[in-house]
């Protein structure tokens, strides 16, 4: 089983020809609401990629919370540890331009009330093969979940987004960190994927830096480096590509795939997701991923 301790948001998505600059108003093509949040996205991606998944987090007592719970459950995610708290569910305001690029504002809502794992959360983490973490919950809560995983001998995969300073106490618990190129630069203070990888590996044992259409760079402390190219596709919406990649990567690692095979599996999943609109709605099934890999 894969456990995901993280955020659940309703994505409020506006599609525009070009993202507005400061002080500018633009007319959009379309607006839609899509269940999302980095934690929920990764849980759905992992479930669709073939894993048993438990989601640990919180939603509000509003309509968005009920919809998020239903979406996770329909995707096959175990939501018994998903708390309901008074107040609004988290939201993400997303602007997607005609090139498929996006900008995002997150308002935490119920996510901000999570101060740490509950007793039921701790039991789920202990029973897991992998714990997925992101940084859309309060840092203290993320660290508490990571420490619980360490005590139980459960590997932690961390997506360091939104990028922020990472305490050594957190990184000491992390088996694999998966930033994108911008997050890697923000965390390490250096630019360029190779240089950022060098800096990351001074603090963690393994890292993958996702590079969008340029692929994914893997590194480990024994000195292994591997660049796996991304599939060549026509992207329409990159909103959930990173979360799809991480969810699929966790599945592959939990099933014992080798490094290159796992990265190709994750890249195929992400490549499928960017060809569809939305976050959770864009994530491929195991059959779709395997069909892409067999082409």
């Amino acid at each position: 089983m894969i456990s995901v301790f993280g955020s659940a948001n309703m994505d409020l998505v506006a599609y525009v020809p070009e993202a507005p600059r400061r002080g500018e108003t633009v007319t959009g093509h379309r607006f839609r609401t899509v269940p999302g949040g980095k934690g929920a996205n990764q849980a759905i991606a992992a479930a669709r990629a073939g894993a048993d998944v438990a989601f640990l987090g919180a939603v509000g007592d509003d309509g968005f919370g009920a919809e998020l719970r239903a979406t996770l459950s329909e995707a096959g995610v175990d939501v018994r540890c998903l708390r309901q708290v008074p107040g609004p569910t988290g939201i993400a305001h997303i602007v997607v331009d005609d090139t498929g690029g996006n900008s995002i504002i997150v308002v935490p809502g119920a996510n901000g009330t999570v101060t740490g794992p509950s007793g039921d959360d701790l039991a789920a983490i202990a029973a897991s093969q992998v714990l997925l973490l992101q940084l859309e919950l309060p840092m203290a809560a993320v660290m508490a979940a990571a420490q619980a995983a360490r005590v139980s001998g459960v590997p932690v995969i961390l997506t360091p987004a939104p990028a922020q300073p990472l305490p050594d106490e957190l990184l000491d618990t992390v088996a694999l960190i998966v930033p994108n190129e911008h997050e890697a630069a923000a965390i390490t203070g250096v630019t360029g994927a190779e240089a950022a990888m060098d800096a990351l590996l001074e603090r963690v044992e393994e890292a993958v830096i996702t590079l969008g259409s340029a692929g994914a760079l893997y590194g480990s402390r024994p000195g292994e480096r591997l660049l796996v190219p991304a599939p060549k596709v026509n992207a329409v919406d990159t909103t959930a590509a990173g979360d799809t990649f991480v969810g699929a990567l966790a599945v592959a690692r939990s099933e014992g795939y080798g490094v290159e095979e796992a990265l190709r599996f994750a890249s195929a999943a992400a490549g499928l997701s960017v060809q569809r609109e939305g976050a959770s709605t864009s994530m491929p099934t195991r059959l779709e991923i395997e069909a892409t890999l067999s082409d």
Side-chain angles (χ1 to χ4, degrees):
M1 182 178 75
I2 293 172
S3 288
V4 184
F5 183 76
S7 58
N9 294 324
M10 185 60 71
D11 293 346
L12 313 178
V13 190
Y15 296 89
V16 298
E18 185 175 347
R21 295 180 291 273
R22 184 174 181 178
E24 181 182 20
T25 299
V26 300
T27 300
H29 307 311
R30 191 159 50 96
F31 173 81
R32 66 194 300 222
T33 58
V34 183
K38 296 195 73 64
N41 286 345
Q42 291 182 7
I44 292 171
R48 289 189 177 160
D52 292 328
V53 181
F55 182 69
L56 324 174
V59 294
D61 56 0
D62 54 7
F64 286 162
E67 187 174 348
L68 280 162
R69 184 183 297 275
T71 298
L72 285 159
S73 183
E74 288 165 6
V77 177
D78 184 340
V79 294
R80 286 177 292 180
C81 291
L82 178 57
R83 316 171 201 179
Q84 178 179 296
V85 299
T89 297
I91 65 99
H93 181 270
I94 302 173
V95 175
V96 180
D97 65 31
D98 281 353
T99 69
N102 65 76
S103 57
I104 305 173
I105 300 170
V106 175
V107 181
N111 298 305
T113 71
V114 180
T115 57
S118 67
D120 288 341
D121 292 344
L122 293 173
I125 291 169
S128 301
Q129 294 170 287
V130 178
L131 173 65
L132 297 186
L133 296 173
Q134 320 79 34
L135 300 178
E136 288 184 341
L137 296 182
M139 180 63 77
V142 174
M143 290 178 62
Q147 291 288 353
R150 185 180 195 178
V151 168
S152 297
V154 176
V156 172
I157 297 177
L158 172 66
T159 303
Q164 56 188 280
L166 301 177
D168 289 337
E169 295 88 344
L170 174 60
L171 290 182
D172 287 346
T173 69
V174 172
L176 174 67
I177 190 168
V178 190
N180 64 28
E181 192 168 12
H182 303 294
E183 292 155 0
I187 293 164
T188 63
V190 297
T191 57
E194 290 285 354
M197 179 64 77
D198 290 337
L200 285 171
L201 292 177
E202 292 177 1
R203 304 184 71 191
V204 296
E205 296 285 343
E206 286 185 285
V208 174
I209 301 177
T210 57
L211 305 172
S213 61
L217 176 66
Y218 170 85
S220 67
R221 274 192 187 164
E224 184 178 2
R225 291 286 169 97
L226 177 65
L227 177 64
V228 171
K232 295 190 181 302
V233 299
N234 293 319
V236 298
D237 186 352
T238 61
T239 301
D243 295 330
T244 303
F245 182 95
V246 172
L249 182 63
V251 174
R253 284 177 68 100
S254 71
E255 294 181 5
Y257 285 33
V259 170
E260 184 171 1
E261 188 181 12
L263 290 172
R264 292 191 183 282
F265 184 86
S267 294
L272 287 165
S273 76
V274 301
Q275 297 176 69
R276 306 165 180 170
E277 293 181 346
S280 60
T281 52
S282 72
M283 294 167 178
T285 65
R286 178 66 171 253
L287 288 176
E288 290 174 319
I289 298 168
E290 291 179 341
T292 295
L293 289 169
S294 66
D295 288 344

